[in-house]
Amino acid sequence: MSTMSPVSLTTENDIAIITIDHPPINATSHAVRLGIWDAIDQVNRDDAIRAAILICAGSTFIAGADVTEFGKPPIDPILPDLILKLEQSTKPLIAALHGNALGGGLEVALGCHYRIATATAKLGLPEVNLGLIPGAGGTVRLPRLIAVENAITMITGGKPFNTTTAHDFGLIDEIVDGDLRTAAIALAERIKNTPCPVALIDRAPVNAPDADAWDALIAGIGKKARGQDAPVIAARTIRAAVTGDARTALGLERENFIRLRDSDQSKALRHIFFAERSVAKLPELAGVAPRTIAEIGVIGGGIMGAGIATAALLAGYAVVMIERDDDACERGIANVRHHLGGSLKRGIITQSRHDQLLGDLVSSTDYATLADCDLVIEAVFEDMAVKHDVFAKLSAHCKSDAVLASNTSYLDIDAIATACTHPERVIGLHFFSPAHVMKLLEVVRTRLASPATLATALAFARRLGKIAVPCGVCDGFIGNRIMSAYRKHCEYMLEDGSLPSDIDRAMTNFGFPMGLFAMQDMAGLEISWATRKRLAPTRDPNERYVALGDYLCEMGRFGRKNGLGWYRYDEHGKASPDPVIDELVIAESAKKGIKRRPFSDAEIIETILSAMQAEGEKILAEGIAHSPDAIDVVMVNGYGFPRHKGGPMHLKKTA
Ligand code: NAI
């Protein structure tokens, strides 16, 4: 091993400790692979060594591949060969895991004879999230260690598991409470004189499903994947690995891995993965310190306010919620309690944490309660007069350097800011519903916003675990503006010959979780109706206007909430096309003298994409978004654009 190697070998009596120290994530870079290779040679050569431990320095075990090696020709030793070598070691190997043991990291651990992990470690094979499958034996070895069905869940779902689940599955031998290294040495002492367990590659699969069960499993995965190839190919690769010879299966896995790596879907998924990680990094903010935030104010405890308060509580902030009267205060608290109850039920928080978080929330009608807040987020009715009134009170009662944010969907935040004292601290924080769940957050820079205000908002977003997308002030910012643009074209298609269910079907076939009209029904139709009424006086009379959405609201059809919208909903909330709507649409075409014609799915999607891309170009030209990546991140994370297609701007670039 060279002195520069990120891998070192030390001994503790007759136990070798192989330490990987390759910050930040101990990725399986070439130097790491080579270092482990040499260390294993040394362990097997040295008669004084009876067992070896593979452990990492820093905050994590090997957390994945080295992304800088992506797309470059592989240099020996490649990871699959290294793992075969680990497996063939004549001295028992123990993988000691902490932090994230993901992707190639977990595959390395599968090459070892024993695995132990700290209680907080996460284990997973997340390759499908990048349109890939494990490429170093994961599909072959995992179903020979844990039940095939669990291996399928882990590989096709791509979600990491905690150590409790990993232990239940049999993926790890021990959960370590104290010091990992000490526990690994203790285990090594216990097993050093016993023969190596049979390598996973030579074991039989655990509880393999029969042929019928396989067909059903793969069909289910295909349905859930909504057009994404990797989960289905992963399942088929596991099936081949379980039903056939394991060593042959390694070759097939590699072939499938390479095929997927070069696919459009993987390129799109990698594009969005990197875009999400770079979109909030603004060069002009280098060296600008965010303000310290401890206490958050939220104005309004309705749908958004309660979600925002929940998100802030979960991130560890104390929250003051302001409402109009005592009843509304109680409703606001009940809304937050409901959300936190959901987090408790899903195992995201414990009962004691739940109770503590509720204790961190106070509700009041008195704006003076906001005196200590460092950041206040307004989420009251979408009405300019109400917003102005609220911001006047915030100007009067908050600290002069408290950041004041609005969650408005469409209103002009510049106008709100200029009416405030210290307008440089006003910003837009446009959350998506449900705010404690949805990852996207548009951070809207007002004209006068100071760099410190923006840096504070971005730091707050990061602490909430959000994907923050900086954008400028305009009607609808990035996402709602693009949605308005393509909605218009969908409405044109209604008048020209489509029905809502035609457009929605084309969209779901393309990979959206739901179509535009189903989504509108879910969000409620009256907010956009109010916006249309607000904009009516400034509407260009020469521009084509589709009034169908207005008719629905006039008919009292507000969407899913009252069982009638573009669709009708049964008592279980199941949607079905409504002949009343079809007749309304067809009658409107007749009224306007439009001869209806059929639209194919491809034509519908082409129309939608062109509308998104054209509006995206305008948004870029106006500087509302700083890059096409920002637009893709918004559309994928807030508007259901299929992730494996990379976003509308990515599709335009690669068309
Ligand atoms: P909502 O109607 O559910 O809640 C508004 C709350 O504000 C009500 O509880 C009301 O009592 C309270 N309120 C009204 N005036 C107040 C005042 N002067 N002082 C204190 N509290 C007051 O509305 P929702 O849906 O939560 O929307 C709030 C804001 O968030 C709007 O600006 C909306 O455009 C925006 N927004 C809504 C989204 C959604 O999906 N619903 C998504 C993103 C933004």
Side-chain angles (χ1 to χ4, degrees):
M1 251 176 289
S2 88
T3 50
M4 295 297 289
S5 173
V7 181
S8 60
L9 190 153
T10 54
T11 53
E12 186 97 6
N13 301 321
D14 51 3
I15 314 281
I17 300 165
I18 302 167
T19 307
I20 302 161
D21 187 2
H22 186 48
I25 60 154
N26 291 311
T28 55
S29 310
H30 177 247
V32 169
R33 301 195 302 268
L34 194 60
I36 300 175
W37 186 278
D38 290 345
I40 295 298
D41 275 342
Q42 206 171 320
V43 163
N44 282 298
R45 259 199 321 263
D46 188 340
D47 288 341
I49 295 177
R50 310 294 297 270
I53 295 161
L54 204 61
I55 194 165
C56 286
S59 61
T60 183
F61 190 72
I62 300 170
D66 181 344
V67 288
T68 64
E69 289 181 11
F70 264 37
K72 293 192 188 149
I75 316 173
D76 284 336
I78 58 170
L79 196 60
D81 291 348
L82 174 64
I83 293 167
L84 280 171
K85 185 181 182 74
L86 294 176
E87 218 164 30
Q88 284 153 14
S89 165
T90 53
K91 315 275 173 74
L93 302 179
I94 299 168
L97 317 176
H98 75 295
N100 295 319
L102 300 177
L106 187 61
E107 290 175 299
V108 166
L110 291 173
C112 296
H113 303 98
Y114 299 91
R115 284 150 296 276
I116 63 172
T118 59
T120 52
K122 293 264 185 299
L123 290 80
L125 290 167
E127 288 82 354
V128 288
N129 298 324
L130 295 181
L132 302 168
I133 60 169
T139 64
V140 181
R141 290 189 183 91
L142 190 61
R144 289 175 159 74
L145 177 64
I146 69 174
V148 174
E149 208 160 324
N150 293 333
I152 293 173
T153 304
M154 225 169 148
I155 294 172
T156 64
K159 285 202 190 76
F161 286 98
N162 61 27
T163 40
T164 313
T165 310
H167 190 256
D168 291 348
F169 281 180
L171 178 51
I172 52 175
D173 303 294
E174 190 183 314
I175 301 176
V176 177
D177 277 332
D179 180 59
L180 182 63
R181 190 172 182 275
T182 311
I185 293 172
L187 175 61
E189 289 292 347
R190 288 203 299 278
I191 53 98
K192 69 183 182 189
N193 293 321
T194 59
C196 277
V198 176
L200 293 181
I201 194 88
D202 294 320
R203 293 193 204 172
V206 184
N207 299 338
D210 64 23
D212 286 348
W214 266 117
D215 291 343
L217 271 168
I218 292 179
I221 289 161
K223 203 160 159 220
K224 240 170 78 189
R226 274 199 244 110
Q228 199 202 320
D229 294 335
V232 179
I233 293 180
R236 290 207 192 109
T237 310
I238 300 169
R239 183 179 192 167
V242 165
T243 48
D245 168 66
R247 284 183 172 74
T248 315
L250 287 179
L252 176 72
E253 179 197 74
R254 192 76 195 156
E255 269 171 40
N256 286 343
F257 171 81
I258 290 170
R259 193 154 51 88
L260 283 170
R261 190 191 60 194
D262 296 337
S263 69
D264 288 346
Q265 289 197 357
S266 179
K267 285 178 194 152
L269 285 161
R270 276 178 279 161
H271 154 74
I272 205 74
F273 178 87
F274 289 114
E276 284 170 357
R277 277 151 189 79
S278 63
V279 71
K281 294 197 178 112
L282 299 178
E284 67 267 35
L285 291 187
V288 179
R291 297 217 187 88
T292 307
I293 293 183
E295 198 169 314
I296 304 283
V298 177
I299 319 298
I303 296 175
M304 295 308 290
I308 295 166
T310 306
L313 288 168
L314 287 169
Y317 293 108
V319 176
V320 178
M321 179 190 275
I322 301 288
E323 259 291 357
R324 290 182 295 173
D325 51 45
D326 291 343
D327 282 353
C329 281
E330 254 173 54
R331 269 199 310 277
I333 299 271
N335 289 342
V336 174
R337 192 187 288 276
H338 175 77
H339 293 327
L340 288 177
S343 301
L344 175 65
K345 215 153 75 199
R346 286 197 302 277
I348 296 167
I349 49 171
T350 60
Q351 182 70 51
S352 66
R353 178 97 181 115
H354 167 271
D355 300 347
Q356 181 201 341
L357 293 183
L358 273 178
D360 291 341
L361 173 69
V362 292
S363 167
S364 172
T365 54
D366 182 2
Y367 279 71
T369 324
L370 299 169
D372 291 331
C373 289
D374 309 290
L375 166 66
V376 179
I377 305 162
E378 164 279 312
V380 300
F381 300 137
E382 185 77 340
D383 179 314
M384 201 53 160
V386 181
K387 305 259 188 211
H388 272 309
D389 178 52
V390 166
F391 274 84
K393 289 184 181 136
L394 296 181
S395 287
H397 291 279
C398 294
K399 294 189 286 195
S400 63
D401 64 348
V403 171
L404 306 182
S406 173
N407 180 51
T408 180
S409 309
Y410 287 94
L411 299 176
D412 181 355
I413 311 180
D414 278 331
I416 294 175
T418 41
C420 288
T421 58
H422 303 291
E424 72 285 351
R425 60 183 169 148
V426 177
I427 198 154
L429 286 177
H430 184 226
F431 287 82
F432 289 73
S433 184
H436 61 300
V437 176
M438 292 284 281
K439 286 247 168 211
L440 182 64
L441 178 60
E442 286 179 324
V443 177
V444 190
R445 304 171 81 155
T446 50
R447 204 157 24 87
L448 300 176
S450 67
T453 301
L454 184 58
T456 306
L458 291 173
F460 171 69
R462 222 176 4 257
R463 167 103 173 253
L464 259 51
K466 301 291 181 198
I467 300 171
V469 181
C471 61
V473 177
C474 67
D475 213 36
F477 317 123
I478 298 177
N480 279 343
R481 179 164 159 184
I482 291 187
M483 192 177 69
S484 299
Y486 89 79
R487 186 181 56 218
K488 198 161 69 179
H489 286 269
C490 288
E491 289 169 353
Y492 294 166
M493 285 191 280
L494 287 187
E495 283 185 350
D496 291 341
S498 292
L499 294 172
S501 54
D502 296 331
I503 292 174
D504 284 358
R505 189 193 52 245
M507 289 180 73
T508 49
N509 286 344
F510 181 73
F512 283 90
M514 61 171 75
L516 174 72
F517 296 102
M519 189 173 76
Q520 285 185 23
D521 274 358
M522 201 174 77
L525 302 180
E526 71 283 10
I527 291 186
S528 52
W529 186 35
T531 306
R532 286 195 299 277
K533 283 195 280 195
R534 175 171 60 81
L535 295 177
T538 55
R539 197 162 47 227
D540 176 359
N542 296 317
E543 198 190 344
R544 180 172 176 184
Y545 183 74
V546 179
L548 287 164
D550 300 343
Y551 298 162
L552 261 65
C553 290
E554 284 157 15
M555 291 157 76
R557 300 180 73 118
F558 296 124
R560 196 180 269 262
K561 66 178 78 162
N562 69 343
L564 289 173
W566 291 103
Y567 295 88
R568 64 167 46 248
Y569 296 85
D570 69 14
E571 64 275 22
H572 309 293
K574 191 175 173 312
S576 48
D578 189 342
V580 174
I581 293 296
D582 294 354
E583 277 166 31
L584 186 77
V585 169
I586 293 165
E588 187 67 2
S589 308
K591 191 167 115 193
K592 288 195 168 177
I594 298 168
K595 188 170 168 358
R596 293 176 64 81
R597 67 173 181 91
F599 283 79
S600 69
D601 281 13
E603 199 178 348
I604 290 170
I605 289 301
E606 182 52 38
T607 304
I608 289 173
L609 287 179
S610 304
M612 287 182 173
Q613 290 158 350
E615 199 62 29
E617 291 298 341
K618 280 192 215 159
I619 283 171
L620 284 170
E622 291 169 27
I624 299 296
H626 63 72
S627 70
D629 287 8
I631 296 173
D632 286 343
V633 170
V634 168
M635 296 316 289
V636 167
N637 288 288
Y639 297 83
F641 197 97
R643 201 176 176 79
H644 61 275
K645 300 251 159 83
M649 306 316 277
H650 173 78
L651 279 183
K652 182 163 193 258
K653 198 170 67 199
T654 54

